[in-house]
Amino acid sequence: AAAAATAHGGGAVCFAWDAQGGLPAALVAQLQHGLRAESCFWQTHRYFEADTPFFSYVYDLTAAPRTAVEQAAQRCFTQLCRQPATRTHMHGVQAVEWWAHHRPSATTWSGTGHCMHFDVNERAFATSAGQRTVALGHPVLSSILYLSDQGGPTLVTDKLLGTPTLGQQGVLLWPKVGRFAAFPGDQLHGVVPAFSPSDARSEPRITLIFAWWRATARDLGRTPSESSVMQLLPEGRTAADWPSVEFPLLDLGREKPQADVGACWSRILSLPRVSPLWIPVPRSVRDAAPATPTAPAGDDDAAVADAVPPLRFFATSETYFEHIYGQFAGRKN
């Protein structure tokens, strides 16, 4: 099981900034508004329905932004290219894939966490089902822009696919409006469940995720009719469509002087580290984890993968995630 203790040490790579002052306040406010629960963005994509597949969009970074999301992507891209800690990773990046999450800060398992996973080219991953070799591609960097102060922390670990262990260490990053984090896209990560008192404010955990790719949007992108993953923003949109309604292009002429913006991005946060990353638990505890009624019995990885598909906070072997991303290519995360 994922450990809760924290310690200092090396391992997982993650850079974070409290960039509220480095992004125009009007832009952050528009993103928050566009991703509120009542937004037609969620309704159009049926996000809150259980059978909705993963969906994302891709944006050509050489093109002028058309929405507030793309304006945010351009500003984050510029800063990642300038930062000494991340600019080497950004060499050759031409496109960004983006998606968002709106999760309740609940007192149950439902919605409080997000399974441990790798960011991959989901379309290539899905088409690899049944193959002996799974075609995975990772973004050079994955990044998160937090748009609320609620919910559990992001856990970024040093686990890479193909390494002989489950990972040794990780870092924790708690949500805060305007906080921005970036880490290599091949690192295992997720959201640790955080329980709140029953009388706590039930405000959602809202995040906007950017995955940076060394490929063109033309090569990555698909029309909505072809795939829900890495969709190209449709041409010929109307004023009633979600990009225009929820994420209109903003006039950001009145923003902080560049010196002030640079200062906001110059202070990299010191993040708490987690070690050990995994701890042994008795079988009785593992068996008490949320499970489907028809989950098969046994100690093998396949049984546990079927038993707790939305969590992945429990593993039965050092190659648990290799098994998940190999034998179960094509499953919905």
Side-chain angles (χ1 to χ4, degrees):
T6 61
H8 295 286
V13 176
C14 182
F15 305 101
W17 302 264
D18 279 340
Q20 176 73 58
L23 292 173
L27 181 56
V28 173
Q30 185 62 56
L31 296 174
Q32 290 176 308
H33 179 78
L35 295 174
R36 71 197 185 283
E38 301 79 15
S39 169
C40 66
F41 172 75
W42 303 121
Q43 298 169 12
T44 300
H45 296 89
R46 299 171 49 236
Y47 176 82
F48 297 110
E49 298 180 24
D51 60 347
T52 299
F54 173 75
F55 63 91
S56 65
Y57 285 84
V58 64
Y59 165 52
D60 179 0
L61 289 163
T62 66
R66 299 156 296 175
T67 69
V69 172
E70 293 178 352
Q71 286 180 299
Q74 281 283 8
R75 279 164 170 72
C76 293
F77 174 67
T78 297
Q79 294 303 326
L80 289 173
C81 289
R82 290 175 175 171
Q83 293 296 317
T86 55
R87 61 190 176 199
T88 301
H89 293 278
M90 299 299 287
H91 288 167
V93 167
Q94 301 178 65
V96 60
E97 179 188 9
W98 69 267
W99 63 95
H101 284 301
H102 185 291
R103 300 289 173 86
S105 296
T107 56
T108 66
W109 283 98
S110 176
T112 59
H114 190 82
C115 67
M116 300 300 294
H117 65 282
F118 295 96
D119 286 346
V120 299
N121 184 324
E122 291 282 349
R123 191 174 63 251
F125 179 47
T127 57
S128 299
Q131 299 180 15
R132 293 184 64 85
T133 301
V134 179
L136 292 179
H138 302 284
V140 294
L141 282 180
S142 293
S143 58
I144 307 167
L145 177 60
Y146 295 90
L147 295 170
S148 74
D149 299 326
Q150 305 301 314
T154 302
L155 171 63
V156 180
T157 80
D158 60 357
K159 166 63 181 173
L160 310 178
L161 275 176
T163 53
T165 72
L166 285 167
Q168 303 299 320
Q169 295 180 335
V171 294
L172 289 171
L173 184 66
W174 288 88
K176 180 181 179 182
V177 173
R179 181 164 287 174
F180 182 73
F183 52 90
D186 57 354
Q187 292 185 150
L188 182 73
H189 61 283
V191 179
V192 179
F195 294 91
S196 302
S198 59
D199 60 348
R201 293 179 302 169
S202 58
E203 297 179 2
R205 186 184 195 273
I206 304 174
T207 50
L208 179 60
I209 296 92
F210 295 120
W212 310 93
W213 293 91
R214 288 189 183 125
T216 66
R218 181 184 298 274
D219 290 337
L220 293 171
R222 294 292 186 273
T223 64
S225 62
E226 293 176 306
S227 174
S228 66
V229 180
M230 294 185 177
Q231 299 176 62
L232 294 166
L233 206 61
E235 300 294 338
R237 300 181 306 280
T238 70
D241 293 332
W242 65 261
S244 302
V245 172
E246 304 296 359
F247 305 109
L249 197 67
L250 302 181
D251 180 1
L252 299 175
R254 294 182 179 181
E255 58 179 288
K256 286 178 176 285
Q258 190 59 42
D260 292 343
V261 172
C264 292
W265 288 93
S266 65
R267 297 183 289 271
I268 297 179
L269 300 178
S270 176
L271 302 177
R273 294 193 172 269
V274 176
S275 182
L277 184 59
W278 299 86
I279 58 174
V281 296
R283 179 186 175 87
S284 59
V285 174
R286 196 203 74 189
D287 289 347
T292 57
T294 57
D299 292 330
D300 63 314
D301 292 339
V304 174
D306 283 338
V308 283
L311 300 179
R312 295 194 201 143
F313 298 126
F314 296 85
T316 55
S317 74
E318 299 286 356
T319 58
Y320 175 74
F321 288 98
E322 281 71 20
H323 181 81
I324 290 289
Y325 280 84
Q327 300 302 315
F328 293 97
R331 278 194 171 186
K332 178 183 175 182
N333 284 344

